[in-house]
């Protein structure tokens, strides 16, 4: 039962806070009226500084991951379109040119330049235009780091992504 006299209430509350693991309010120090006036507004400055310090790298990381994911989508689409175009052509020379053009157009749709991509084609068996041949087109793409202020002489890359697609040459074209 709590004490009823006003002088006994303060020690009771202090003991209760200690038992409940709450911070004990000791009040202002003798001779001081309240909090120091020189610290007002300091939290806003500290928060702004720390928010900038922590948020800028986080936002850059998210943008970089988005670029890599976009590059992944681009190579999958480019490889798929190139393989489909390859098997639809009548001869090997025009098929290779058409497949490379289709892959570069698909990469350009995602905003990636042709200079960052490599396209290779393989056939199993070796006659790429025979019915039943499996044509595999592989597209490699180098994804650069976003917002890097250097010229072409010094390039920093975030990642390299690769995708392959296989199509069968049909009996009837």
């Amino acid at each position: 039962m709590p004490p009823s006299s006003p002088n006994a209430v303060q020690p009771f509350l202090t003991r209760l806070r200690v038992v409940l693991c709450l911070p004990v309010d000791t009040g202002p120090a003798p001779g001081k009226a309240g909090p120091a006036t020189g610290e007002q507004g300091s939290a806003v400055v500290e928060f702004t500084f720390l928010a900038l310090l922590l948020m800028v790298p986080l936002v850059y990381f998210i943008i970089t991951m988005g670029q890599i994911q976009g590059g992944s989508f681009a190579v999958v689409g480019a490889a798929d379109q190139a393989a489909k175009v390859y098997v639809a052509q009548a001869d090997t020379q025009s098929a290779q040119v058409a497949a490379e053009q289709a892959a570069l157009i698909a990469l350009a749709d995602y905003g990636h330049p042709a200079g960052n991509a490599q396209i290779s084609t393989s056939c199993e068996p070796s006659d790429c235009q025979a019915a039943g041949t499996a044509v595999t087109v592989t597209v490699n793409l180098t994804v650069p780091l976003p917002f890097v202020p250097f010229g072409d002489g010094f390039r920093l890359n975030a990642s390299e992504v690769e995708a392959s697609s296989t199509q069968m040459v049909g009996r009837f074209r």
Side-chain angles (χ1 to χ4, degrees):
M1 173 185 290
S4 57
S5 70
N7 294 338
V9 171
Q10 186 63 31
F12 173 74
L13 289 177
T14 303
R15 285 192 307 258
L16 181 63
R17 285 188 174 136
V18 169
V19 169
L20 295 177
C21 297
L22 297 174
V24 177
D25 183 20
T26 60
K32 292 193 176 182
T37 58
E39 293 292 322
Q40 290 179 344
S42 175
V44 173
V45 173
E46 291 172 3
F47 175 77
T48 304
F49 175 72
L50 288 175
L52 283 175
L53 188 66
L54 297 174
M55 295 299 283
V56 169
L58 179 66
V59 169
Y60 189 77
F61 176 74
I62 291 171
I63 291 171
T64 303
M65 290 295 109
Q67 291 283 14
I68 293 171
Q69 186 67 35
S72 297
F73 289 146
V75 294
V76 168
D80 188 45
Q81 291 301 315
K84 288 177 181 177
V85 167
Y86 192 97
V87 299
Q89 300 302 313
D91 62 275
T92 305
Q93 293 293 342
S94 64
Q96 184 67 31
V97 170
E100 288 178 4
Q101 285 294 340
L104 294 179
I105 289 171
L107 291 172
D109 285 345
Y110 283 91
H112 294 284
N116 292 351
Q118 295 177 349
I119 302 158
S120 62
T121 306
S122 63
C123 302
E124 185 62 38
S126 62
D127 182 12
C128 292
Q129 294 301 314
T133 300
V135 177
T136 302
V137 176
T138 303
V139 179
N140 295 314
L141 179 68
T142 301
V143 180
L145 280 173
F147 310 123
V148 175
F150 306 114
D152 290 335
F154 183 69
R155 294 181 47 170
L156 297 173
N157 298 323
S159 180
E160 287 191 21
V161 290
E162 177 182 315
S164 296
S165 180
T166 302
Q167 292 286 322
M168 301 295 286
V169 176
R171 188 179 336 164
F172 306 105
R173 286 194 239 179

